[in-house]
Amino acid sequence: MKDKVLSFLRKQEGFISGEEISREFSISRAAIWKHINQLKKEGYKILAVPHLGYKLESGPDRLTPQEVSYQLDTKLLGKKIYYYAQTSSTMDEAMRLSLEGAPEGTLILAEAQTKGRGRLGRDWYSPKAKGIYLSTILRPKILPNETPKLTLMVAVACAQAINRITGLHVTIKWPNDLLIKERKLGGILTELNAEADSVKFVVIGIGINVNNPRSSLPAKATSLKEEINETVPRIELLKRILIEIERCYLVFQKEGFGPILEQWRQLSSMLGTRIRVNYKKEHIEGVAIDVDMDGSLLVRKDSGFIERVIAGDIARAR
Ligand code: BT5
């Protein structure tokens, strides 16, 4: 009932009297008052003026399913949402739910993660309500070695969503970093469950620093708030990210990886420059000349030999 009262308040332009609400739902005005109080406790700002009634002013800065699904213009992503005030990692939850058969597009959100992770066992710093930490489940009909394409696809979608909401130009550092002026704003983590010749499901994790003060961030990191000097509405940004991922995923399914790769090239921060690739204890140096149709990075070494890099971290070579 509380959710129904909230949806009803949302539809109103101005004030709505307690009497009208109680008529709409056939419940007492005391019951309405109880629901309004509960919503206020959850962080909704609701004006209550004698003789006029109630007016919803604003919602809480929390990524609750209720807030995220409100007028969310997607058909697949976020149709089912799991929300945690705190969890170890949204990847753990998503992996568990995928194995239990959760449908494609299921979204797992957390306000904070105690064991947020990056690649190769690295940590992802995930302080409460400052960033966006999500995992989503996809069940694409692709071969296991095609999953890197999805990482690049999601990076493109995130860069475009951030640009739409903040106007900032985000670049992508292969394979999974979102950067603003060479500082890390976010990262993408792709984990999969596959058999030799087919993918069962892919879980894609996204971490973005939204309203973090720079002083609290790791070295060489930034947040959107630091870049535009304004608090960024996380809900709006999250919804835009979901819309853009879905749009790119449809393109990917209908037209293949080509159009996504074209957009990725335009957003790439290091193509054409001299780089160093580190992977565990190995490293190579050369010019990053392109990304191939399978998502791997092509590096031309000084010998002229072109090396195909499937995994690793890249940095500008000096
Ligand atoms: C990534 O890994 O960049 C992928 C990060 C994915 C995080 C999301 S959050 C939701 C979902 N649930 C999870 O548990 N994970 C995903 P990688 O390329 O390995 O980068 C990790 C490195 O980035 C760390 O070793 C730090 O140096 C740096 N780092 C950690 N936290 C950061 C932050 N909040 N902002 C910028 N850099 C950070």
Side-chain angles (χ1 to χ4, degrees):
M1 181 52 71
K2 181 184 60 140
D3 294 352
K4 286 189 182 154
V5 171
L6 177 62
S7 317
F8 192 62
L9 285 176
R10 273 190 163 127
K11 279 192 225 141
Q12 313 303 321
E13 297 267 307
F15 282 89
I16 176 98
S17 70
E19 207 174 308
E20 278 176 84
I21 309 178
S22 71
R23 219 180 304 130
E24 173 77 17
F25 298 112
S26 307
I27 53 172
S28 70
R29 290 180 64 178
I32 303 282
W33 190 77
K34 209 181 76 198
H35 293 308
I36 299 269
N37 265 349
Q38 186 54 40
L39 288 168
K40 281 185 178 172
K41 271 194 204 139
E42 290 174 17
Y44 290 90
K45 289 212 171 68
I46 300 169
L47 279 181
V49 178
H51 308 300
L52 281 176
Y54 301 105
K55 183 170 183 268
L56 177 65
E57 284 225 303
S58 61
D61 178 36
R62 288 290 180 270
L63 306 177
T64 58
Q66 215 170 33
E67 287 296 308
V68 176
S69 53
Y70 179 64
Q71 292 185 337
L72 175 64
D73 194 11
T74 56
K75 293 198 171 56
L76 182 69
L77 260 80
K79 290 289 124 186
K80 182 109 186 104
I81 303 177
Y82 292 82
Y83 170 76
Y84 301 89
Q86 179 171 300
T87 184
S88 55
S89 157
T90 56
M91 299 305 278
D92 296 339
E93 303 294 348
M95 279 296 187
R96 181 179 56 76
L97 289 162
S98 302
L99 290 169
E100 289 169 6
E104 180 162 69
T106 300
L107 180 67
I108 297 90
L109 291 165
E111 296 292 352
Q113 299 182 116
T114 51
K115 282 194 183 146
R117 62 174 177 265
R119 292 172 301 148
L120 304 167
R122 292 186 287 226
D123 291 336
W124 187 258
Y125 171 64
S126 320
K128 186 172 172 193
K130 295 290 182 209
I132 290 176
Y133 320 113
L134 73 86
S135 295
T136 188
I137 300 167
L138 295 180
R139 298 184 180 275
K141 291 187 176 58
I142 57 172
L143 294 169
N145 64 4
E146 288 184 280
T147 36
K149 295 177 185 175
L150 295 176
T151 310
L152 303 192
M153 178 193 87
V154 169
V156 167
C158 288
Q160 288 173 340
I162 294 167
N163 181 261
R164 277 284 288 271
I165 299 294
T166 64
L168 288 166
H169 180 60
V170 176
T171 58
I172 307 171
K173 191 176 90 167
W174 185 91
N176 70 330
D177 281 359
L178 300 170
L179 306 181
I180 293 183
K181 296 183 218 125
E182 310 245 326
R183 284 179 176 270
K184 186 156 172 171
L185 173 78
I188 292 149
L189 178 66
T190 306
E191 295 180 349
L192 84 158
N193 185 310
E195 284 172 356
D197 56 357
S198 72
V199 164
K200 285 191 180 159
F201 60 81
V202 178
V203 170
I204 300 189
I206 303 172
I208 296 175
N209 302 322
V210 183
N211 290 320
N212 322 51
R214 187 175 284 165
S215 56
S216 71
L217 287 166
K220 294 194 196 146
T222 190
S223 72
L224 293 173
K225 186 177 180 184
E226 278 304 311
E227 298 297 328
I228 61 169
N229 281 321
E230 259 175 57
T231 301
V232 173
R234 289 187 308 146
I235 296 168
E236 220 183 297
L237 175 60
L238 170 61
K239 285 177 165 179
R240 181 45 61 182
I241 289 172
L242 300 177
I243 291 168
E244 294 297 335
I245 295 178
E246 183 162 307
R247 193 183 56 75
C248 289
Y249 192 46
L250 281 178
V251 171
F252 177 72
Q253 284 172 326
K254 283 199 184 131
E255 301 169 41
F257 187 52
I260 307 288
L261 178 56
E262 203 37 59
Q263 293 178 40
W264 190 92
R265 285 186 180 120
Q266 282 167 23
L267 293 165
S268 150
S269 71
M270 290 199 185
L271 282 189
T273 65
R274 193 170 174 80
I275 57 154
R276 184 180 162 91
V277 187
N278 300 308
Y279 182 69
K280 295 188 177 162
K281 283 185 180 146
E282 290 170 39
H283 27 258
I284 59 167
E285 228 178 272
V287 175
I289 54 171
D290 203 0
V291 164
D292 210 357
M293 274 303 278
D294 63 358
S296 53
L297 184 69
L298 302 178
V299 181
R300 190 175 54 234
K301 301 207 300 199
D302 293 342
S303 62
F305 181 78
I306 293 174
E307 180 124 2
R308 177 185 296 271
V309 182
I310 296 165
D313 291 298
I314 64 173
R316 278 190 200 286
R318 295 183 199 284

PDB file of all heavy atoms in Angstrom, residues 83-110:
ATOM      1  N   TYR A  83      18.265  -5.360  -4.443  1.00  0.00           N
ATOM      2  CA  TYR A  83      18.901  -4.179  -3.865  1.00  0.00           C
ATOM      3  C   TYR A  83      19.458  -4.508  -2.479  1.00  0.00           C
ATOM      4  O   TYR A  83      18.753  -5.102  -1.658  1.00  0.00           O
ATOM      5  CB  TYR A  83      17.852  -3.065  -3.759  1.00  0.00           C
ATOM      6  CG  TYR A  83      18.289  -1.863  -2.979  1.00  0.00           C
ATOM      7  CD1 TYR A  83      19.165  -0.923  -3.531  1.00  0.00           C
ATOM      8  CD2 TYR A  83      17.816  -1.643  -1.680  1.00  0.00           C
ATOM      9  CE1 TYR A  83      19.549   0.197  -2.812  1.00  0.00           C
ATOM     10  CE2 TYR A  83      18.194  -0.517  -0.960  1.00  0.00           C
ATOM     11  CZ  TYR A  83      19.063   0.389  -1.524  1.00  0.00           C
ATOM     12  OH  TYR A  83      19.443   1.493  -0.821  1.00  0.00           O
ATOM     13  N   TYR A  84      20.699  -4.121  -2.250  1.00  0.00           N
ATOM     14  CA  TYR A  84      21.328  -4.364  -0.944  1.00  0.00           C
ATOM     15  C   TYR A  84      21.886  -3.053  -0.394  1.00  0.00           C
ATOM     16  O   TYR A  84      22.588  -2.335  -1.117  1.00  0.00           O
ATOM     17  CB  TYR A  84      22.494  -5.355  -1.071  1.00  0.00           C
ATOM     18  CG  TYR A  84      22.055  -6.685  -1.634  1.00  0.00           C
ATOM     19  CD1 TYR A  84      22.037  -6.910  -3.013  1.00  0.00           C
ATOM     20  CD2 TYR A  84      21.635  -7.711  -0.795  1.00  0.00           C
ATOM     21  CE1 TYR A  84      21.607  -8.123  -3.535  1.00  0.00           C
ATOM     22  CE2 TYR A  84      21.203  -8.930  -1.305  1.00  0.00           C
ATOM     23  CZ  TYR A  84      21.192  -9.124  -2.677  1.00  0.00           C
ATOM     24  OH  TYR A  84      20.760 -10.316  -3.192  1.00  0.00           O
ATOM     25  N   ALA A  85      21.555  -2.766   0.859  1.00  0.00           N
ATOM     26  CA  ALA A  85      22.162  -1.579   1.472  1.00  0.00           C
ATOM     27  C   ALA A  85      23.675  -1.827   1.564  1.00  0.00           C
ATOM     28  O   ALA A  85      24.479  -0.925   1.379  1.00  0.00           O
ATOM     29  CB  ALA A  85      21.582  -1.356   2.856  1.00  0.00           C
ATOM     30  N   GLN A  86      24.044  -3.054   1.816  1.00  0.00           N
ATOM     31  CA  GLN A  86      25.464  -3.435   1.827  1.00  0.00           C
ATOM     32  C   GLN A  86      25.587  -4.922   1.506  1.00  0.00           C
ATOM     33  O   GLN A  86      24.771  -5.720   1.945  1.00  0.00           O
ATOM     34  CB  GLN A  86      26.056  -3.169   3.210  1.00  0.00           C
ATOM     35  CG  GLN A  86      27.514  -3.564   3.318  1.00  0.00           C
ATOM     36  CD  GLN A  86      28.139  -3.092   4.616  1.00  0.00           C
ATOM     37  OE1 GLN A  86      28.179  -1.907   4.891  1.00  0.00           O
ATOM     38  NE2 GLN A  86      28.612  -4.019   5.417  1.00  0.00           N
ATOM     39  N   THR A  87      26.586  -5.246   0.726  1.00  0.00           N
ATOM     40  CA  THR A  87      26.827  -6.658   0.446  1.00  0.00           C
ATOM     41  C   THR A  87      28.333  -6.844   0.253  1.00  0.00           C
ATOM     42  O   THR A  87      29.076  -5.861   0.176  1.00  0.00           O
ATOM     43  CB  THR A  87      26.038  -7.117  -0.807  1.00  0.00           C
ATOM     44  OG1 THR A  87      26.224  -8.512  -0.987  1.00  0.00           O
ATOM     45  CG2 THR A  87      26.486  -6.418  -2.070  1.00  0.00           C
ATOM     46  N   SER A  88      28.772  -8.090   0.159  1.00  0.00           N
ATOM     47  CA  SER A  88      30.214  -8.298  -0.060  1.00  0.00           C
ATOM     48  C   SER A  88      30.561  -7.770  -1.449  1.00  0.00           C
ATOM     49  O   SER A  88      31.385  -6.865  -1.606  1.00  0.00           O
ATOM     50  CB  SER A  88      30.556  -9.778   0.068  1.00  0.00           C
ATOM     51  OG  SER A  88      29.743 -10.548  -0.808  1.00  0.00           O
ATOM     52  N   SER A  89      29.887  -8.294  -2.463  1.00  0.00           N
ATOM     53  CA  SER A  89      30.114  -7.844  -3.837  1.00  0.00           C
ATOM     54  C   SER A  89      28.858  -8.166  -4.646  1.00  0.00           C
ATOM     55  O   SER A  89      28.313  -9.274  -4.510  1.00  0.00           O
ATOM     56  CB  SER A  89      31.324  -8.581  -4.427  1.00  0.00           C
ATOM     57  OG  SER A  89      31.250  -8.584  -5.837  1.00  0.00           O
ATOM     58  N   THR A  90      28.430  -7.234  -5.467  1.00  0.00           N
ATOM     59  CA  THR A  90      27.246  -7.505  -6.301  1.00  0.00           C
ATOM     60  C   THR A  90      27.545  -8.656  -7.264  1.00  0.00           C
ATOM     61  O   THR A  90      26.627  -9.322  -7.733  1.00  0.00           O
ATOM     62  CB  THR A  90      26.822  -6.260  -7.102  1.00  0.00           C
ATOM     63  OG1 THR A  90      27.929  -5.811  -7.880  1.00  0.00           O
ATOM     64  CG2 THR A  90      26.327  -5.144  -6.198  1.00  0.00           C
ATOM     65  N   MET A  91      28.851  -8.918  -7.530  1.00  0.00           N
ATOM     66  CA  MET A  91      29.212 -10.031  -8.420  1.00  0.00           C
ATOM     67  C   MET A  91      28.833 -11.364  -7.764  1.00  0.00           C
ATOM     68  O   MET A  91      28.336 -12.269  -8.426  1.00  0.00           O
ATOM     69  CB  MET A  91      30.710 -10.037  -8.730  1.00  0.00           C
ATOM     70  CG  MET A  91      31.248  -8.818  -9.433  1.00  0.00           C
ATOM     71  SD  MET A  91      30.415  -8.411 -10.976  1.00  0.00           S
ATOM     72  CE  MET A  91      31.202  -9.489 -12.141  1.00  0.00           C
ATOM     73  N   ASP A  92      29.086 -11.470  -6.446  1.00  0.00           N
ATOM     74  CA  ASP A  92      28.748 -12.713  -5.744  1.00  0.00           C
ATOM     75  C   ASP A  92      27.254 -12.968  -5.823  1.00  0.00           C
ATOM     76  O   ASP A  92      26.813 -14.084  -6.096  1.00  0.00           O
ATOM     77  CB  ASP A  92      29.139 -12.618  -4.253  1.00  0.00           C
ATOM     78  CG  ASP A  92      30.636 -12.482  -4.069  1.00  0.00           C
ATOM     79  OD1 ASP A  92      31.378 -12.849  -4.994  1.00  0.00           O
ATOM     80  OD2 ASP A  92      31.050 -11.997  -2.997  1.00  0.00           O
ATOM     81  N   GLU A  93      26.474 -11.902  -5.563  1.00  0.00           N
ATOM     82  CA  GLU A  93      25.009 -12.050  -5.592  1.00  0.00           C
ATOM     83  C   GLU A  93      24.560 -12.436  -6.998  1.00  0.00           C
ATOM     84  O   GLU A  93      23.706 -13.305  -7.175  1.00  0.00           O
ATOM     85  CB  GLU A  93      24.320 -10.734  -5.182  1.00  0.00           C
ATOM     86  CG  GLU A  93      24.722 -10.195  -3.815  1.00  0.00           C
ATOM     87  CD  GLU A  93      24.281 -11.108  -2.673  1.00  0.00           C
ATOM     88  OE1 GLU A  93      23.482 -12.028  -2.898  1.00  0.00           O
ATOM     89  OE2 GLU A  93      24.772 -10.897  -1.545  1.00  0.00           O
ATOM     90  N   ALA A  94      25.145 -11.771  -8.000  1.00  0.00           N
ATOM     91  CA  ALA A  94      24.721 -12.021  -9.383  1.00  0.00           C
ATOM     92  C   ALA A  94      25.071 -13.436  -9.822  1.00  0.00           C
ATOM     93  O   ALA A  94      24.291 -14.108 -10.494  1.00  0.00           O
ATOM     94  CB  ALA A  94      25.368 -10.998 -10.312  1.00  0.00           C
ATOM     95  N   MET A  95      26.234 -13.910  -9.410  1.00  0.00           N
ATOM     96  CA  MET A  95      26.650 -15.268  -9.766  1.00  0.00           C
ATOM     97  C   MET A  95      25.677 -16.279  -9.155  1.00  0.00           C
ATOM     98  O   MET A  95      25.234 -17.214  -9.819  1.00  0.00           O
ATOM     99  CB  MET A  95      28.065 -15.542  -9.233  1.00  0.00           C
ATOM    100  CG  MET A  95      29.139 -14.966 -10.113  1.00  0.00           C
ATOM    101  SD  MET A  95      29.066 -15.806 -11.709  1.00  0.00           S
ATOM    102  CE  MET A  95      30.441 -15.236 -12.563  1.00  0.00           C
ATOM    103  N   ARG A  96      25.346 -16.049  -7.890  1.00  0.00           N
ATOM    104  CA  ARG A  96      24.427 -16.961  -7.201  1.00  0.00           C
ATOM    105  C   ARG A  96      23.058 -16.944  -7.892  1.00  0.00           C
ATOM    106  O   ARG A  96      22.498 -17.993  -8.218  1.00  0.00           O
ATOM    107  CB  ARG A  96      24.295 -16.508  -5.729  1.00  0.00           C
ATOM    108  CG  ARG A  96      23.396 -17.367  -4.887  1.00  0.00           C
ATOM    109  CD  ARG A  96      23.337 -16.876  -3.443  1.00  0.00           C
ATOM    110  NE  ARG A  96      22.929 -15.474  -3.310  1.00  0.00           N
ATOM    111  CZ  ARG A  96      21.678 -15.035  -3.438  1.00  0.00           C
ATOM    112  NH1 ARG A  96      20.720 -15.875  -3.702  1.00  0.00           N
ATOM    113  NH2 ARG A  96      21.401 -13.747  -3.293  1.00  0.00           N
ATOM    114  N   LEU A  97      22.553 -15.748  -8.157  1.00  0.00           N
ATOM    115  CA  LEU A  97      21.225 -15.639  -8.783  1.00  0.00           C
ATOM    116  C   LEU A  97      21.220 -16.239 -10.193  1.00  0.00           C
ATOM    117  O   LEU A  97      20.247 -16.859 -10.606  1.00  0.00           O
ATOM    118  CB  LEU A  97      20.800 -14.162  -8.835  1.00  0.00           C
ATOM    119  CG  LEU A  97      20.444 -13.572  -7.468  1.00  0.00           C
ATOM    120  CD1 LEU A  97      20.471 -12.049  -7.504  1.00  0.00           C
ATOM    121  CD2 LEU A  97      19.052 -14.062  -7.038  1.00  0.00           C
ATOM    122  N   SER A  98      22.320 -16.056 -10.926  1.00  0.00           N
ATOM    123  CA  SER A  98      22.394 -16.617 -12.282  1.00  0.00           C
ATOM    124  C   SER A  98      22.285 -18.127 -12.229  1.00  0.00           C
ATOM    125  O   SER A  98      21.575 -18.744 -13.023  1.00  0.00           O
ATOM    126  CB  SER A  98      23.718 -16.268 -12.952  1.00  0.00           C
ATOM    127  OG  SER A  98      23.890 -14.889 -13.005  1.00  0.00           O
ATOM    128  N   LEU A  99      23.024 -18.722 -11.263  1.00  0.00           N
ATOM    129  CA  LEU A  99      22.985 -20.184 -11.143  1.00  0.00           C
ATOM    130  C   LEU A  99      21.594 -20.681 -10.755  1.00  0.00           C
ATOM    131  O   LEU A  99      21.199 -21.776 -11.102  1.00  0.00           O
ATOM    132  CB  LEU A  99      24.021 -20.658 -10.110  1.00  0.00           C
ATOM    133  CG  LEU A  99      25.480 -20.505 -10.563  1.00  0.00           C
ATOM    134  CD1 LEU A  99      26.439 -20.730  -9.405  1.00  0.00           C
ATOM    135  CD2 LEU A  99      25.802 -21.469 -11.707  1.00  0.00           C
ATOM    136  N   GLU A 100      20.870 -19.811 -10.036  1.00  0.00           N
ATOM    137  CA  GLU A 100      19.493 -20.186  -9.655  1.00  0.00           C
ATOM    138  C   GLU A 100      18.508 -19.928 -10.790  1.00  0.00           C
ATOM    139  O   GLU A 100      17.308 -20.101 -10.620  1.00  0.00           O
ATOM    140  CB  GLU A 100      19.057 -19.389  -8.414  1.00  0.00           C
ATOM    141  CG  GLU A 100      19.768 -19.826  -7.145  1.00  0.00           C
ATOM    142  CD  GLU A 100      19.548 -18.863  -5.973  1.00  0.00           C
ATOM    143  OE1 GLU A 100      18.752 -17.901  -6.105  1.00  0.00           O
ATOM    144  OE2 GLU A 100      20.200 -19.052  -4.944  1.00  0.00           O
ATOM    145  N   GLY A 101      19.013 -19.420 -11.929  1.00  0.00           N
ATOM    146  CA  GLY A 101      18.148 -19.257 -13.102  1.00  0.00           C
ATOM    147  C   GLY A 101      17.585 -17.869 -13.308  1.00  0.00           C
ATOM    148  O   GLY A 101      16.630 -17.692 -14.074  1.00  0.00           O
ATOM    149  N   ALA A 102      18.156 -16.856 -12.646  1.00  0.00           N
ATOM    150  CA  ALA A 102      17.631 -15.483 -12.813  1.00  0.00           C
ATOM    151  C   ALA A 102      17.636 -15.102 -14.293  1.00  0.00           C
ATOM    152  O   ALA A 102      18.566 -15.442 -15.021  1.00  0.00           O
ATOM    153  CB  ALA A 102      18.491 -14.503 -12.020  1.00  0.00           C
ATOM    154  N   PRO A 103      16.596 -14.403 -14.739  1.00  0.00           N
ATOM    155  CA  PRO A 103      16.505 -14.087 -16.165  1.00  0.00           C
ATOM    156  C   PRO A 103      17.508 -13.027 -16.613  1.00  0.00           C
ATOM    157  O   PRO A 103      18.026 -12.260 -15.792  1.00  0.00           O
ATOM    158  CB  PRO A 103      15.075 -13.559 -16.326  1.00  0.00           C
ATOM    159  CG  PRO A 103      14.675 -13.100 -14.973  1.00  0.00           C
ATOM    160  CD  PRO A 103      15.429 -13.929 -13.988  1.00  0.00           C
ATOM    161  N   GLU A 104      17.727 -13.023 -17.909  1.00  0.00           N
ATOM    162  CA  GLU A 104      18.599 -12.010 -18.509  1.00  0.00           C
ATOM    163  C   GLU A 104      18.075 -10.615 -18.151  1.00  0.00           C
ATOM    164  O   GLU A 104      16.877 -10.378 -18.145  1.00  0.00           O
ATOM    165  CB  GLU A 104      18.588 -12.197 -20.022  1.00  0.00           C
ATOM    166  CG  GLU A 104      19.460 -11.196 -20.736  1.00  0.00           C
ATOM    167  CD  GLU A 104      19.798 -11.612 -22.153  1.00  0.00           C
ATOM    168  OE1 GLU A 104      18.899 -11.626 -23.000  1.00  0.00           O
ATOM    169  OE2 GLU A 104      20.967 -11.904 -22.395  1.00  0.00           O
ATOM    170  N   GLY A 105      18.995  -9.719 -17.855  1.00  0.00           N
ATOM    171  CA  GLY A 105      18.610  -8.341 -17.538  1.00  0.00           C
ATOM    172  C   GLY A 105      18.445  -8.102 -16.050  1.00  0.00           C
ATOM    173  O   GLY A 105      18.296  -6.958 -15.618  1.00  0.00           O
ATOM    174  N   THR A 106      18.481  -9.186 -15.246  1.00  0.00           N
ATOM    175  CA  THR A 106      18.366  -9.010 -13.786  1.00  0.00           C
ATOM    176  C   THR A 106      19.488  -8.076 -13.314  1.00  0.00           C
ATOM    177  O   THR A 106      20.637  -8.182 -13.750  1.00  0.00           O
ATOM    178  CB  THR A 106      18.479 -10.375 -13.064  1.00  0.00           C
ATOM    179  OG1 THR A 106      17.419 -11.209 -13.525  1.00  0.00           O
ATOM    180  CG2 THR A 106      18.395 -10.222 -11.560  1.00  0.00           C
ATOM    181  N   LEU A 107      19.101  -7.183 -12.407  1.00  0.00           N
ATOM    182  CA  LEU A 107      20.039  -6.169 -11.955  1.00  0.00           C
ATOM    183  C   LEU A 107      20.272  -6.301 -10.459  1.00  0.00           C
ATOM    184  O   LEU A 107      19.315  -6.487  -9.707  1.00  0.00           O
ATOM    185  CB  LEU A 107      19.416  -4.792 -12.260  1.00  0.00           C
ATOM    186  CG  LEU A 107      20.190  -3.559 -11.885  1.00  0.00           C
ATOM    187  CD1 LEU A 107      21.457  -3.451 -12.729  1.00  0.00           C
ATOM    188  CD2 LEU A 107      19.312  -2.326 -12.129  1.00  0.00           C
ATOM    189  N   ILE A 108      21.536  -6.238 -10.061  1.00  0.00           N
ATOM    190  CA  ILE A 108      21.871  -6.313  -8.645  1.00  0.00           C
ATOM    191  C   ILE A 108      22.577  -5.010  -8.275  1.00  0.00           C
ATOM    192  O   ILE A 108      23.584  -4.645  -8.883  1.00  0.00           O
ATOM    193  CB  ILE A 108      22.783  -7.533  -8.342  1.00  0.00           C
ATOM    194  CG1 ILE A 108      22.034  -8.824  -8.665  1.00  0.00           C
ATOM    195  CG2 ILE A 108      23.218  -7.569  -6.881  1.00  0.00           C
ATOM    196  CD1 ILE A 108      22.172  -9.338 -10.043  1.00  0.00           C
ATOM    197  N   LEU A 109      22.015  -4.344  -7.262  1.00  0.00           N
ATOM    198  CA  LEU A 109      22.544  -3.037  -6.872  1.00  0.00           C
ATOM    199  C   LEU A 109      22.938  -3.048  -5.410  1.00  0.00           C
ATOM    200  O   LEU A 109      22.274  -3.708  -4.608  1.00  0.00           O
ATOM    201  CB  LEU A 109      21.447  -1.982  -7.019  1.00  0.00           C
ATOM    202  CG  LEU A 109      20.998  -1.636  -8.415  1.00  0.00           C
ATOM    203  CD1 LEU A 109      19.686  -0.869  -8.353  1.00  0.00           C
ATOM    204  CD2 LEU A 109      22.068  -0.796  -9.107  1.00  0.00           C
ATOM    205  N   ALA A 110      23.982  -2.310  -5.077  1.00  0.00           N
ATOM    206  CA  ALA A 110      24.339  -2.181  -3.660  1.00  0.00           C
ATOM    207  C   ALA A 110      24.739  -0.733  -3.393  1.00  0.00           C
ATOM    208  O   ALA A 110      25.331  -0.068  -4.247  1.00  0.00           O
ATOM    209  CB  ALA A 110      25.489  -3.110  -3.314  1.00  0.00           C
TER     210      ALA A 110
END
